[in-house]
mmCIF file of all heavy atoms in Angstrom:
data_model
loop_
_atom_site.group_PDB
_atom_site.id
_atom_site.type_symbol
_atom_site.label_atom_id
_atom_site.label_comp_id
_atom_site.label_asym_id
_atom_site.label_seq_id
_atom_site.Cartn_x
_atom_site.Cartn_y
_atom_site.Cartn_z
ATOM 1 N N LEU A 1371 10.305 -4.793 -18.539
ATOM 2 C CA LEU A 1371 11.370 -5.169 -17.610
ATOM 3 C C LEU A 1371 11.876 -3.968 -16.825
ATOM 4 O O LEU A 1371 12.090 -4.042 -15.608
ATOM 5 C CB LEU A 1371 12.516 -5.822 -18.389
ATOM 6 C CG LEU A 1371 12.188 -7.164 -19.063
ATOM 7 C CD1 LEU A 1371 13.331 -7.588 -19.978
ATOM 8 C CD2 LEU A 1371 11.918 -8.237 -18.014
ATOM 9 N N TYR A 1372 12.051 -2.850 -17.525
ATOM 10 C CA TYR A 1372 12.555 -1.645 -16.868
ATOM 11 C C TYR A 1372 11.522 -1.091 -15.884
ATOM 12 O O TYR A 1372 11.858 -0.734 -14.744
ATOM 13 C CB TYR A 1372 12.904 -0.582 -17.908
ATOM 14 C CG TYR A 1372 13.395 0.728 -17.310
ATOM 15 C CD1 TYR A 1372 14.670 0.822 -16.757
ATOM 16 C CD2 TYR A 1372 12.558 1.846 -17.278
ATOM 17 C CE1 TYR A 1372 15.109 2.011 -16.195
ATOM 18 C CE2 TYR A 1372 12.994 3.040 -16.715
ATOM 19 C CZ TYR A 1372 14.269 3.118 -16.181
ATOM 20 O OH TYR A 1372 14.701 4.301 -15.614
ATOM 21 N N ASP A 1373 10.271 -1.031 -16.314
ATOM 22 C CA ASP A 1373 9.209 -0.513 -15.446
ATOM 23 C C ASP A 1373 9.035 -1.386 -14.207
ATOM 24 O O ASP A 1373 8.747 -0.887 -13.111
ATOM 25 C CB ASP A 1373 7.888 -0.426 -16.208
ATOM 26 C CG ASP A 1373 7.900 0.666 -17.268
ATOM 27 O OD1 ASP A 1373 8.793 1.538 -17.216
ATOM 28 O OD2 ASP A 1373 7.014 0.638 -18.161
ATOM 29 N N ALA A 1374 9.196 -2.703 -14.378
ATOM 30 C CA ALA A 1374 9.091 -3.613 -13.239
ATOM 31 C C ALA A 1374 10.181 -3.318 -12.215
ATOM 32 O O ALA A 1374 9.944 -3.338 -11.003
ATOM 33 C CB ALA A 1374 9.171 -5.061 -13.703
ATOM 34 N N TRP A 1375 11.396 -3.027 -12.705
ATOM 35 C CA TRP A 1375 12.496 -2.700 -11.797
ATOM 36 C C TRP A 1375 12.237 -1.380 -11.080
ATOM 37 O O TRP A 1375 12.435 -1.270 -9.857
ATOM 38 C CB TRP A 1375 13.818 -2.635 -12.549
ATOM 39 C CG TRP A 1375 14.870 -1.881 -11.781
ATOM 40 C CD1 TRP A 1375 15.464 -0.708 -12.104
ATOM 41 C CD2 TRP A 1375 15.435 -2.268 -10.518
ATOM 42 N NE1 TRP A 1375 16.350 -0.330 -11.136
ATOM 43 C CE2 TRP A 1375 16.355 -1.265 -10.144
ATOM 44 C CE3 TRP A 1375 15.237 -3.359 -9.668
ATOM 45 C CZ2 TRP A 1375 17.084 -1.317 -8.964
ATOM 46 C CZ3 TRP A 1375 15.962 -3.412 -8.477
ATOM 47 C CH2 TRP A 1375 16.874 -2.408 -8.143
ATOM 48 N N ILE A 1376 11.774 -0.364 -11.810
ATOM 49 C CA ILE A 1376 11.497 0.942 -11.204
ATOM 50 C C ILE A 1376 10.415 0.813 -10.131
ATOM 51 O O ILE A 1376 10.532 1.372 -9.031
ATOM 52 C CB ILE A 1376 11.072 1.970 -12.281
ATOM 53 C CG1 ILE A 1376 12.231 2.241 -13.249
ATOM 54 C CG2 ILE A 1376 10.614 3.274 -11.628
ATOM 55 C CD1 ILE A 1376 13.464 2.821 -12.599
ATOM 56 N N PHE A 1377 9.357 0.062 -10.455
ATOM 57 C CA PHE A 1377 8.274 -0.124 -9.488
ATOM 58 C C PHE A 1377 8.787 -0.863 -8.251
ATOM 59 O O PHE A 1377 8.457 -0.502 -7.113
ATOM 60 C CB PHE A 1377 7.127 -0.907 -10.119
ATOM 61 C CG PHE A 1377 5.968 -1.136 -9.186
ATOM 62 C CD1 PHE A 1377 4.967 -0.180 -9.062
ATOM 63 C CD2 PHE A 1377 5.882 -2.298 -8.426
ATOM 64 C CE1 PHE A 1377 3.901 -0.384 -8.193
ATOM 65 C CE2 PHE A 1377 4.824 -2.507 -7.554
ATOM 66 C CZ PHE A 1377 3.827 -1.548 -7.439
ATOM 67 N N THR A 1378 9.591 -1.920 -8.465
ATOM 68 C CA THR A 1378 10.143 -2.691 -7.351
ATOM 69 C C THR A 1378 11.002 -1.807 -6.463
ATOM 70 O O THR A 1378 10.871 -1.817 -5.228
ATOM 71 C CB THR A 1378 10.981 -3.869 -7.874
ATOM 72 O OG1 THR A 1378 10.159 -4.705 -8.694
ATOM 73 C CG2 THR A 1378 11.552 -4.680 -6.731
ATOM 74 N N ARG A 1379 11.874 -1.028 -7.070
ATOM 75 C CA ARG A 1379 12.753 -0.136 -6.300
ATOM 76 C C ARG A 1379 11.943 0.871 -5.490
ATOM 77 O O ARG A 1379 12.194 1.068 -4.290
ATOM 78 C CB ARG A 1379 13.688 0.603 -7.265
ATOM 79 C CG ARG A 1379 14.705 1.513 -6.597
ATOM 80 C CD ARG A 1379 15.309 2.470 -7.599
ATOM 81 N NE ARG A 1379 14.295 3.381 -8.140
ATOM 82 C CZ ARG A 1379 14.529 4.216 -9.154
ATOM 83 N NH1 ARG A 1379 15.701 4.220 -9.766
ATOM 84 N NH2 ARG A 1379 13.571 5.033 -9.566
ATOM 85 N N ASP A 1380 10.963 1.498 -6.132
ATOM 86 C CA ASP A 1380 10.168 2.517 -5.449
ATOM 87 C C ASP A 1380 9.314 1.919 -4.336
ATOM 88 O O ASP A 1380 9.142 2.531 -3.276
ATOM 89 C CB ASP A 1380 9.281 3.255 -6.455
ATOM 90 C CG ASP A 1380 10.082 4.109 -7.431
ATOM 91 O OD1 ASP A 1380 11.271 4.364 -7.142
ATOM 92 O OD2 ASP A 1380 9.525 4.505 -8.473
ATOM 93 N N LEU A 1381 8.764 0.710 -4.588
ATOM 94 C CA LEU A 1381 7.928 0.081 -3.569
ATOM 95 C C LEU A 1381 8.760 -0.312 -2.351
ATOM 96 O O LEU A 1381 8.320 -0.120 -1.204
ATOM 97 C CB LEU A 1381 7.230 -1.146 -4.148
ATOM 98 C CG LEU A 1381 6.268 -1.876 -3.198
ATOM 99 C CD1 LEU A 1381 5.172 -0.929 -2.716
ATOM 100 C CD2 LEU A 1381 5.660 -3.102 -3.871
ATOM 101 N N ILE A 1382 9.958 -0.856 -2.585
ATOM 102 C CA ILE A 1382 10.842 -1.200 -1.469
ATOM 103 C C ILE A 1382 11.166 0.045 -0.648
ATOM 104 O O ILE A 1382 11.201 0.008 0.593
ATOM 105 C CB ILE A 1382 12.132 -1.863 -1.972
ATOM 106 C CG1 ILE A 1382 11.827 -3.240 -2.604
ATOM 107 C CG2 ILE A 1382 13.144 -2.022 -0.837
ATOM 108 C CD1 ILE A 1382 11.351 -4.272 -1.629
ATOM 109 N N LYS A 1383 11.385 1.174 -1.327
ATOM 110 C CA LYS A 1383 11.664 2.424 -0.618
ATOM 111 C C LYS A 1383 10.495 2.837 0.278
ATOM 112 O O LYS A 1383 10.698 3.405 1.356
ATOM 113 C CB LYS A 1383 11.958 3.542 -1.620
ATOM 114 C CG LYS A 1383 13.321 3.455 -2.282
ATOM 115 C CD LYS A 1383 13.521 4.634 -3.236
ATOM 116 C CE LYS A 1383 14.890 4.584 -3.883
ATOM 117 N NZ LYS A 1383 15.088 5.722 -4.833
ATOM 118 N N ARG A 1384 9.275 2.552 -0.183
ATOM 119 C CA ARG A 1384 8.094 2.965 0.577
ATOM 120 C C ARG A 1384 7.782 2.027 1.738
ATOM 121 O O ARG A 1384 7.250 2.473 2.761
ATOM 122 C CB ARG A 1384 6.861 3.046 -0.334
ATOM 123 C CG ARG A 1384 6.919 4.172 -1.346
ATOM 124 C CD ARG A 1384 5.516 4.512 -1.856
ATOM 125 N NE ARG A 1384 4.838 3.358 -2.420
ATOM 126 C CZ ARG A 1384 4.898 3.006 -3.700
ATOM 127 N NH1 ARG A 1384 5.653 3.700 -4.540
ATOM 128 N NH2 ARG A 1384 4.238 1.961 -4.144
ATOM 129 N N ILE A 1385 8.079 0.725 1.585
ATOM 130 C CA ILE A 1385 7.618 -0.235 2.590
ATOM 131 C C ILE A 1385 8.717 -0.745 3.515
ATOM 132 O O ILE A 1385 8.412 -1.451 4.478
ATOM 133 C CB ILE A 1385 6.929 -1.441 1.924
ATOM 134 C CG1 ILE A 1385 7.953 -2.312 1.167
ATOM 135 C CG2 ILE A 1385 5.803 -1.004 1.004
ATOM 136 C CD1 ILE A 1385 7.368 -3.602 0.615
ATOM 137 N N TRP A 1386 9.976 -0.377 3.260
ATOM 138 C CA TRP A 1386 11.063 -0.974 4.048
ATOM 139 C C TRP A 1386 10.906 -0.696 5.539
ATOM 140 O O TRP A 1386 11.225 -1.544 6.376
ATOM 141 C CB TRP A 1386 12.430 -0.490 3.556
ATOM 142 C CG TRP A 1386 12.713 0.966 3.837
ATOM 143 C CD1 TRP A 1386 12.453 2.019 3.028
ATOM 144 C CD2 TRP A 1386 13.302 1.515 5.016
ATOM 145 N NE1 TRP A 1386 12.829 3.198 3.617
ATOM 146 C CE2 TRP A 1386 13.360 2.923 4.839
ATOM 147 C CE3 TRP A 1386 13.792 0.957 6.200
ATOM 148 C CZ2 TRP A 1386 13.880 3.782 5.814
ATOM 149 C CZ3 TRP A 1386 14.305 1.815 7.173
ATOM 150 C CH2 TRP A 1386 14.358 3.201 6.978
ATOM 151 N N ILE A 1387 10.385 0.490 5.881
ATOM 152 C CA ILE A 1387 10.233 0.815 7.297
ATOM 153 C C ILE A 1387 9.208 -0.089 7.963
ATOM 154 O O ILE A 1387 9.377 -0.529 9.110
ATOM 155 C CB ILE A 1387 9.849 2.309 7.475
ATOM 156 C CG1 ILE A 1387 9.858 2.676 8.955
ATOM 157 C CG2 ILE A 1387 8.496 2.602 6.835
ATOM 158 C CD1 ILE A 1387 11.206 2.578 9.615
ATOM 159 N N TYR A 1388 8.124 -0.436 7.213
ATOM 160 C CA TYR A 1388 7.122 -1.354 7.761
ATOM 161 C C TYR A 1388 7.707 -2.750 7.936
ATOM 162 O O TYR A 1388 7.395 -3.459 8.901
ATOM 163 C CB TYR A 1388 5.899 -1.422 6.837
ATOM 164 C CG TYR A 1388 5.166 -0.112 6.685
ATOM 165 C CD1 TYR A 1388 5.296 0.648 5.523
ATOM 166 C CD2 TYR A 1388 4.346 0.373 7.690
ATOM 167 C CE1 TYR A 1388 4.631 1.850 5.371
ATOM 168 C CE2 TYR A 1388 3.672 1.579 7.551
ATOM 169 C CZ TYR A 1388 3.823 2.311 6.386
ATOM 170 O OH TYR A 1388 3.164 3.496 6.250
ATOM 171 N N VAL A 1389 8.558 -3.137 6.988
ATOM 172 C CA VAL A 1389 9.218 -4.439 7.082
ATOM 173 C C VAL A 1389 10.097 -4.489 8.322
ATOM 174 O O VAL A 1389 10.053 -5.455 9.101
ATOM 175 C CB VAL A 1389 10.058 -4.713 5.815
ATOM 176 C CG1 VAL A 1389 10.838 -6.015 5.958
ATOM 177 C CG2 VAL A 1389 9.165 -4.773 4.582
ATOM 178 N N LEU A 1390 10.893 -3.440 8.542
ATOM 179 C CA LEU A 1390 11.788 -3.411 9.704
ATOM 180 C C LEU A 1390 10.999 -3.404 11.016
ATOM 181 O O LEU A 1390 11.381 -4.073 11.979
ATOM 182 C CB LEU A 1390 12.707 -2.188 9.639
ATOM 183 C CG LEU A 1390 13.759 -2.189 8.520
ATOM 184 C CD1 LEU A 1390 14.701 -1.001 8.689
ATOM 185 C CD2 LEU A 1390 14.545 -3.490 8.494
ATOM 186 N N ILE A 1391 9.898 -2.650 11.040
ATOM 187 C CA ILE A 1391 9.077 -2.614 12.255
ATOM 188 C C ILE A 1391 8.494 -3.994 12.545
ATOM 189 O O ILE A 1391 8.530 -4.485 13.685
ATOM 190 C CB ILE A 1391 7.948 -1.569 12.120
ATOM 191 C CG1 ILE A 1391 8.546 -0.158 12.120
ATOM 192 C CG2 ILE A 1391 6.935 -1.715 13.265
ATOM 193 C CD1 ILE A 1391 7.531 0.929 11.798
ATOM 194 N N GLY A 1392 7.966 -4.629 11.493
ATOM 195 C CA GLY A 1392 7.400 -5.962 11.663
ATOM 196 C C GLY A 1392 8.437 -6.970 12.135
ATOM 197 O O GLY A 1392 8.175 -7.776 13.040
ATOM 198 N N ILE A 1393 9.635 -6.919 11.551
ATOM 199 C CA ILE A 1393 10.688 -7.850 11.939
ATOM 200 C C ILE A 1393 11.190 -7.533 13.345
ATOM 201 O O ILE A 1393 11.513 -8.444 14.120
ATOM 202 C CB ILE A 1393 11.848 -7.804 10.920
ATOM 203 C CG1 ILE A 1393 11.355 -8.294 9.553
ATOM 204 C CG2 ILE A 1393 13.015 -8.674 11.395
ATOM 205 C CD1 ILE A 1393 12.379 -8.120 8.450
ATOM 206 N N ALA A 1394 11.260 -6.248 13.706
ATOM 207 C CA ALA A 1394 11.697 -5.862 15.046
ATOM 208 C C ALA A 1394 10.742 -6.397 16.109
ATOM 209 O O ALA A 1394 11.169 -6.917 17.147
ATOM 210 C CB ALA A 1394 11.815 -4.340 15.148
ATOM 211 N N ILE A 1395 9.430 -6.284 15.841
ATOM 212 C CA ILE A 1395 8.451 -6.840 16.772
ATOM 213 C C ILE A 1395 8.593 -8.357 16.835
ATOM 214 O O ILE A 1395 8.542 -8.964 17.911
ATOM 215 C CB ILE A 1395 7.021 -6.440 16.357
ATOM 216 C CG1 ILE A 1395 6.859 -4.919 16.433
ATOM 217 C CG2 ILE A 1395 5.988 -7.131 17.244
ATOM 218 C CD1 ILE A 1395 5.541 -4.422 15.881
ATOM 219 N N GLY A 1396 8.794 -8.965 15.652
ATOM 220 C CA GLY A 1396 9.021 -10.408 15.618
ATOM 221 C C GLY A 1396 10.273 -10.799 16.379
ATOM 222 O O GLY A 1396 10.307 -11.829 17.063
ATOM 223 N N GLY A 1397 11.342 -9.972 16.269
ATOM 224 C CA GLY A 1397 12.577 -10.237 17.004
ATOM 225 C C GLY A 1397 12.370 -10.173 18.500
ATOM 226 O O GLY A 1397 12.915 -10.989 19.259
ATOM 227 N N PHE A 1398 11.566 -9.213 18.951
ATOM 228 C CA PHE A 1398 11.257 -9.113 20.390
ATOM 229 C C PHE A 1398 10.524 -10.364 20.856
ATOM 230 O O PHE A 1398 10.850 -10.947 21.896
ATOM 231 C CB PHE A 1398 10.402 -7.876 20.653
ATOM 232 C CG PHE A 1398 9.898 -7.792 22.070
ATOM 233 C CD1 PHE A 1398 10.719 -7.321 23.081
ATOM 234 C CD2 PHE A 1398 8.596 -8.197 22.382
ATOM 235 C CE1 PHE A 1398 10.263 -7.259 24.403
ATOM 236 C CE2 PHE A 1398 8.132 -8.144 23.691
ATOM 237 C CZ PHE A 1398 8.964 -7.672 24.702
ATOM 238 N N ILE A 1399 9.522 -10.785 20.072
ATOM 239 C CA ILE A 1399 8.777 -11.995 20.415
ATOM 240 C C ILE A 1399 9.713 -13.197 20.446
ATOM 241 O O ILE A 1399 9.660 -14.044 21.347
ATOM 242 C CB ILE A 1399 7.629 -12.224 19.413
ATOM 243 C CG1 ILE A 1399 6.609 -11.090 19.509
ATOM 244 C CG2 ILE A 1399 6.954 -13.573 19.649
ATOM 245 C CD1 ILE A 1399 5.520 -11.151 18.443
ATOM 246 N N HIS A 1400 10.615 -13.253 19.443
ATOM 247 C CA HIS A 1400 11.549 -14.377 19.331
ATOM 248 C C HIS A 1400 12.484 -14.449 20.539
ATOM 249 O O HIS A 1400 12.796 -15.541 21.028
ATOM 250 C CB HIS A 1400 12.367 -14.227 18.054
ATOM 251 C CG HIS A 1400 13.243 -15.405 17.754
ATOM 252 N ND1 HIS A 1400 12.781 -16.520 17.094
ATOM 253 C CD2 HIS A 1400 14.553 -15.648 18.031
ATOM 254 C CE1 HIS A 1400 13.759 -17.404 16.975
ATOM 255 N NE2 HIS A 1400 14.848 -16.895 17.531
ATOM 256 N N GLY A 1401 12.947 -13.284 21.006
ATOM 257 C CA GLY A 1401 13.916 -13.271 22.098
ATOM 258 C C GLY A 1401 13.309 -13.429 23.473
ATOM 259 O O GLY A 1401 13.913 -14.056 24.350
ATOM 260 N N TRP A 1402 12.107 -12.852 23.679
ATOM 261 C CA TRP A 1402 11.577 -12.780 25.038
ATOM 262 C C TRP A 1402 10.332 -13.613 25.300
ATOM 263 O O TRP A 1402 9.937 -13.775 26.442
ATOM 264 C CB TRP A 1402 11.285 -11.319 25.385
ATOM 265 C CG TRP A 1402 12.513 -10.587 25.859
ATOM 266 C CD1 TRP A 1402 12.981 -10.508 27.141
ATOM 267 C CD2 TRP A 1402 13.435 -9.851 25.057
ATOM 268 N NE1 TRP A 1402 14.129 -9.756 27.181
ATOM 269 C CE2 TRP A 1402 14.445 -9.335 25.925
ATOM 270 C CE3 TRP A 1402 13.524 -9.566 23.693
ATOM 271 C CZ2 TRP A 1402 15.490 -8.563 25.465
ATOM 272 C CZ3 TRP A 1402 14.576 -8.795 23.235
ATOM 273 C CH2 TRP A 1402 15.550 -8.302 24.110
ATOM 274 N N ILE A 1403 9.678 -14.119 24.239
ATOM 275 C CA ILE A 1403 8.475 -14.928 24.459
ATOM 276 C C ILE A 1403 8.755 -16.367 24.038
ATOM 277 O O ILE A 1403 8.927 -16.650 22.852
ATOM 278 C CB ILE A 1403 7.277 -14.364 23.663
ATOM 279 C CG1 ILE A 1403 6.993 -12.925 24.104
ATOM 280 C CG2 ILE A 1403 6.040 -15.244 23.857
ATOM 281 C CD1 ILE A 1403 5.823 -12.281 23.408
ATOM 282 N N PRO A 1404 8.839 -17.280 24.989
ATOM 283 C CA PRO A 1404 9.160 -18.677 24.666
ATOM 284 C C PRO A 1404 8.078 -19.326 23.801
ATOM 285 O O PRO A 1404 6.922 -18.920 23.815
ATOM 286 C CB PRO A 1404 9.227 -19.356 26.047
ATOM 287 C CG PRO A 1404 9.388 -18.234 27.031
ATOM 288 C CD PRO A 1404 8.673 -17.059 26.426
ATOM 289 N N ALA A 1405 8.510 -20.346 23.049
ATOM 290 C CA ALA A 1405 7.565 -21.093 22.216
ATOM 291 C C ALA A 1405 6.465 -21.698 23.082
ATOM 292 O O ALA A 1405 6.730 -22.231 24.153
ATOM 293 C CB ALA A 1405 8.303 -22.182 21.444
ATOM 294 N N GLY A 1406 5.247 -21.597 22.647
ATOM 295 C CA GLY A 1406 4.118 -22.169 23.371
ATOM 296 C C GLY A 1406 3.444 -21.228 24.348
ATOM 297 O O GLY A 1406 2.379 -21.537 24.878
ATOM 298 N N THR A 1407 4.052 -20.046 24.574
ATOM 299 C CA THR A 1407 3.512 -19.126 25.578
ATOM 300 C C THR A 1407 2.110 -18.647 25.241
ATOM 301 O O THR A 1407 1.238 -18.551 26.106
ATOM 302 C CB THR A 1407 4.444 -17.912 25.733
ATOM 303 O OG1 THR A 1407 5.749 -18.368 26.109
ATOM 304 C CG2 THR A 1407 3.919 -16.962 26.789
ATOM 305 N N LEU A 1408 1.873 -18.304 23.960
ATOM 306 C CA LEU A 1408 0.590 -17.735 23.563
ATOM 307 C C LEU A 1408 -0.449 -18.790 23.191
ATOM 308 O O LEU A 1408 -1.577 -18.442 22.857
ATOM 309 C CB LEU A 1408 0.789 -16.784 22.378
ATOM 310 C CG LEU A 1408 1.691 -15.569 22.642
ATOM 311 C CD1 LEU A 1408 1.820 -14.730 21.388
ATOM 312 C CD2 LEU A 1408 1.148 -14.725 23.787
ATOM 313 N N ALA A 1409 -0.048 -20.055 23.228
ATOM 314 C CA ALA A 1409 -0.962 -21.117 22.797
ATOM 315 C C ALA A 1409 -2.244 -21.144 23.630
ATOM 316 O O ALA A 1409 -3.327 -21.424 23.126
ATOM 317 C CB ALA A 1409 -0.268 -22.472 22.862
ATOM 318 N N GLN A 1410 -2.138 -20.842 24.936
ATOM 319 C CA GLN A 1410 -3.311 -20.888 25.803
ATOM 320 C C GLN A 1410 -4.323 -19.799 25.475
ATOM 321 O O GLN A 1410 -5.510 -19.920 25.782
ATOM 322 C CB GLN A 1410 -2.878 -20.762 27.264
ATOM 323 C CG GLN A 1410 -2.055 -19.516 27.548
ATOM 324 C CD GLN A 1410 -1.574 -19.465 28.983
ATOM 325 O OE1 GLN A 1410 -2.320 -19.808 29.889
ATOM 326 N NE2 GLN A 1410 -0.335 -19.040 29.192
#
Side-chain angles (χ1 to χ4, degrees):
L1371 295 171
Y1372 178 74
D1373 290 344
W1375 161 245
I1376 295 299
F1377 180 86
T1378 301
R1379 183 196 64 188
D1380 292 344
L1381 182 58
I1382 293 293
K1383 286 181 179 179
R1384 291 200 304 270
I1385 70 174
W1386 69 269
I1387 187 64
Y1388 297 104
V1389 175
L1390 292 187
I1391 291 172
I1393 296 173
I1395 297 173
F1398 173 80
I1399 296 173
H1400 187 84
W1402 277 272
I1403 300 181
T1407 302
L1408 298 179
Q1410 56 183 319

